[in-house]
């Protein structure tokens, strides 16, 4: 078996992730039924203590990659010449997406895997 299996639905996963990120921080009353169900559902997965260092490493790596991409985008936006306004709009949208994803990671995972959630920024 390959990981993820060959017919894994990446498009659906991306769609679900966007819904989760977009609804982050909103009150339950303002969410659609699917998101309310996800937020209030009981249960989950067990992370064993010996798995925590790997999770910490992956969180630091992911946030570091996000920071590098955000810096590159900010630099590109700040030095953007007379190119297509569509490209500039796309760069700004991607930068906003990165910032939202980083905020979600810090507020939902860093606080679970680090005593000080600011440690996720210290690669």
């Amino acid at each position: 078996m390959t990981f993820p299996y060959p017919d894994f639905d990446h498009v659906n996963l991306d769609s679900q992730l966007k819904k989760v990120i977009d609804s982050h921080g909103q009150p339950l009353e303002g969410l659609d039924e699917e998101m309310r169900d996800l937020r209030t559902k009981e249960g989950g997965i067990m992370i064993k203590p010996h798995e925590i260092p790997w999770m910490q490493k992956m969180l630091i790596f992911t946030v570091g990659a996000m920071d590098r991409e955000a810096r590159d985008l900010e630099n590109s936006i700040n030095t953007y010449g007379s190119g297509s306004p569509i490209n500039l709009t796309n760069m700004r949208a991607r930068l906003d997406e990165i910032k939202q994803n980083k905020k979600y990671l810090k507020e939902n995972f860093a606080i679970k895997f680090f005593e000080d959630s600011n440690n996720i920024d210290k690669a």
Side-chain angles (χ1 to χ4, degrees):
M1 183 172 149
T2 60
F3 172 78
Y5 50 88
D7 57 347
F8 184 79
D9 188 353
H10 290 277
V11 174
N12 187 43
L13 177 64
D14 289 343
S15 175
Q16 288 177 334
L17 180 60
K18 181 163 177 33
K19 286 180 186 177
V20 169
I21 299 293
D22 288 346
S23 68
H24 178 64
Q26 294 182 17
L28 286 176
E29 306 80 45
L31 302 176
D32 63 21
E33 185 177 350
E34 178 186 11
M35 289 311 303
R36 271 195 312 276
D37 289 346
L38 277 175
R39 289 271 182 88
T40 57
K41 187 176 181 178
E42 293 293 324
I45 59 170
M46 174 73 75
I47 301 292
K48 297 178 181 165
H50 68 274
E51 296 168 330
I52 292 174
W54 188 87
M55 294 298 297
Q56 289 172 321
K57 178 75 173 176
M58 289 300 99
L59 286 166
I60 290 170
F61 175 80
T62 302
V63 168
M66 288 176 166
D67 286 341
R68 285 187 295 282
E69 186 177 357
R71 277 193 306 273
D72 290 347
L73 280 168
E74 286 172 342
N75 186 40
S76 295
I77 289 168
N78 291 337
T79 59
Y80 198 75
S82 60
S84 166
I86 294 171
N87 289 341
L88 186 59
T89 301
N90 290 343
M91 286 190 286
R92 287 183 177 139
R94 177 66 184 143
L95 183 58
D96 288 343
E97 180 183 2
I98 291 168
K99 289 178 180 179
Q100 283 182 307
N101 283 320
K102 181 179 175 184
K103 180 179 179 187
Y104 186 84
L105 270 176
K106 286 185 80 167
E107 293 178 0
N108 289 278
F109 294 101
I111 61 172
K112 295 176 184 175
F113 290 101
F114 294 92
E115 286 183 29
D116 177 359
S117 63
N118 288 320
N119 285 339
I120 198 170
D121 290 318
K122 300 171 185 159

